[in-house]
Amino acid sequence: MSDLLARLRGRGWRVTSQRRVVAEVLDGDHVHLTADEVHARAAQLLPEISRATVYNTLAELASLGEVLEVSTDGRAKRYDPNAHRPHQHLVCSNCGTIRDVHPTGDPLADLPAEERFGFTVSEAQITYRGLCPSCNG
Amino acid sequence: MSDLLARLRGRGWRVTSQRRVVAEVLDGDHVHLTADEVHARAAQLLPEISRATVYNTLAELASLGEVLEVSTDGRAKRYDPNAHRPHQHLVCSNCGTIRDVHPTGDPLADLPAEERFGFTVSEAQITYRGLCPSCNG
DNA sequence: TTCTTGACTTGAACTCTGTCTATCGTAGGA
DNA sequence: TCCTACGATAGACAGAGTTCAAGTCAAGAA
Ligand SMILES: [Mn+2]
Ligand SMILES: [Mn+2]
Ligand SMILES: [Zn+2]
Ligand SMILES: [Zn+2]
């Protein structure tokens, strides 16, 4: 995420303190925070940052392909900085923990032409569910 | 869906006019309505039906396994009467149309043990995305 | 360095989706 | 036909996200 700010500057973005702290909060592996979680952590670094700015920045980063929007349950969307290596998600049905996983093979290959209804299919999103070690008695 | 009411009666449910119209609205193939869409259609058959009753009934049907809750986007959950044959979903990225699809093979087989992080994995939900014939110029 | 300006940020009101609760109504058994 | 526990209702409430008018400031120009 460190050169993210450089890439954004290259695209003509103003680099503001708000955007810097959002980028900082989104650093790491297996990070899948909700917008309000991002806001809470950003506010520890920059107390006056507003909710609207966090929502705006996350939506912009997502539309540039710099972060992924992940909705595993019907609740709040989660924001994923691991946008440059394709992956899927494994979610604990009990506690909600999310891990990045890398299945073998091409998921699109399993959808035969007669099951495509004339669609141009470009992507397959897989959510694996189960119990994590802590929740699995 | 016609014998649904019989199954519910067998489980000790009271068969009310509200539950009848919800069951009627949920009949058909490739049906994936939101709760408020179900409410709107039910209200054409039974104008005084309330939003709360539709939400309650759908949640109960889902917990009995009679309908599926599907969340393909971060928006409203959709309710799927096709609960007795396992399937996945194909969604148009442009207009949101949803089709039931049946991929070949077992999706769980593609997740190797070293990518399971000690989880007991029981289910894989796949959302295929692309453009439907109408949206694909 | 200072000036200028349009992009960015803010906070509050607003929308959408879903839940809860107190009260009223009725399906179905006695 | 009567009883009553289960179900329905309206409206308040909550969580997630969006919108907007007004104020602020990053960064290029001079
Ligand atoms: Mn991820
Ligand atoms: Mn379906
Ligand atoms: Zn768990
Ligand atoms: Zn379409």
Side-chain angles (χ1 to χ4, degrees):
Chain A
M1 285 264 109
S2 46
D3 43 8
L4 168 62
L5 294 174
R7 284 201 300 279
L8 295 180
R9 199 179 276 112
R11 294 193 193 236
W13 272 35
R14 291 195 186 166
V15 175
T16 65
S17 52
Q18 290 84 353
R19 287 171 172 178
R20 253 193 301 269
V21 298
V22 169
E24 190 172 341
V25 164
L26 284 177
D27 199 14
D29 289 333
H30 302 284
V31 169
H32 302 96
L33 298 170
T34 65
D36 282 339
E37 284 166 354
V38 170
H39 178 239
R41 298 192 185 194
Q44 292 186 298
L45 303 170
L46 184 69
E48 68 276 22
I49 191 172
S50 75
R51 241 172 115 259
T53 293
V54 171
Y55 273 91
N56 286 340
T57 303
L58 290 171
E60 290 158 355
L61 288 171
S63 79
L64 294 181
E66 295 286 352
V67 304
L68 302 176
E69 292 185 338
V70 179
S71 355
T72 53
D73 50 0
R75 314 290 304 277
K77 279 187 222 165
R78 297 184 168 273
Y79 290 86
D80 186 343
N82 183 11
H84 297 97
R85 178 165 178 215
H87 66 278
Q88 304 296 345
H89 293 106
L90 170 55
V91 182
C92 176
S93 318
N94 184 244
C95 69
T97 300
I98 303 178
R99 314 280 336 212
D100 288 349
V101 294
H102 303 86
T104 59
D106 177 8
L108 289 187
D110 286 338
L111 192 66
E114 71 271 17
E115 284 287 301
R116 299 193 178 200
F117 296 95
F119 280 56
T120 305
V121 185
S122 53
E123 185 196 355
Q125 240 179 55
I126 310 183
T127 303
Y128 298 95
R129 284 177 205 286
L131 292 174
C132 76
S134 319
C135 291
N136 195 1
Chain B
M1 285 266 108
S2 47
D3 43 9
L4 169 61
L5 293 174
R7 285 201 298 281
L8 296 180
R9 198 179 277 115
R11 295 194 193 237
W13 272 35
R14 289 194 188 165
V15 175
T16 64
S17 52
Q18 290 84 354
R19 286 171 173 176
R20 253 193 300 270
V21 298
V22 169
E24 189 172 342
V25 164
L26 284 177
D27 198 14
D29 289 332
H30 302 283
V31 169
H32 302 95
L33 298 170
T34 66
D36 281 340
E37 284 166 354
V38 171
H39 179 239
R41 299 192 183 194
Q44 292 185 298
L45 304 171
L46 184 69
E48 68 275 23
I49 191 171
S50 76
R51 232 170 124 260
T53 292
V54 172
Y55 274 89
N56 287 340
T57 303
L58 291 172
E60 290 158 354
L61 289 172
S63 79
L64 294 181
E66 296 286 353
V67 304
L68 300 175
E69 291 184 340
V70 178
S71 354
T72 53
D73 51 1
R75 315 289 305 276
K77 280 187 224 165
R78 296 184 170 272
Y79 290 85
D80 185 344
N82 183 10
H84 298 98
R85 177 165 180 213
H87 64 279
Q88 304 296 343
H89 293 106
L90 170 55
V91 182
C92 176
S93 317
N94 185 245
C95 69
T97 299
I98 303 178
R99 315 281 336 214
D100 289 348
V101 294
H102 303 87
T104 60
D106 176 11
L108 290 185
D110 285 340
L111 192 66
E114 71 270 19
E115 283 287 301
R116 297 192 178 201
F117 297 95
F119 280 54
T120 305
V121 184
S122 53
E123 186 196 355
Q125 242 178 53
I126 310 182
T127 303
Y128 298 94
R129 283 176 204 286
L131 292 175
C132 77
S134 318
C135 292
N136 195 2

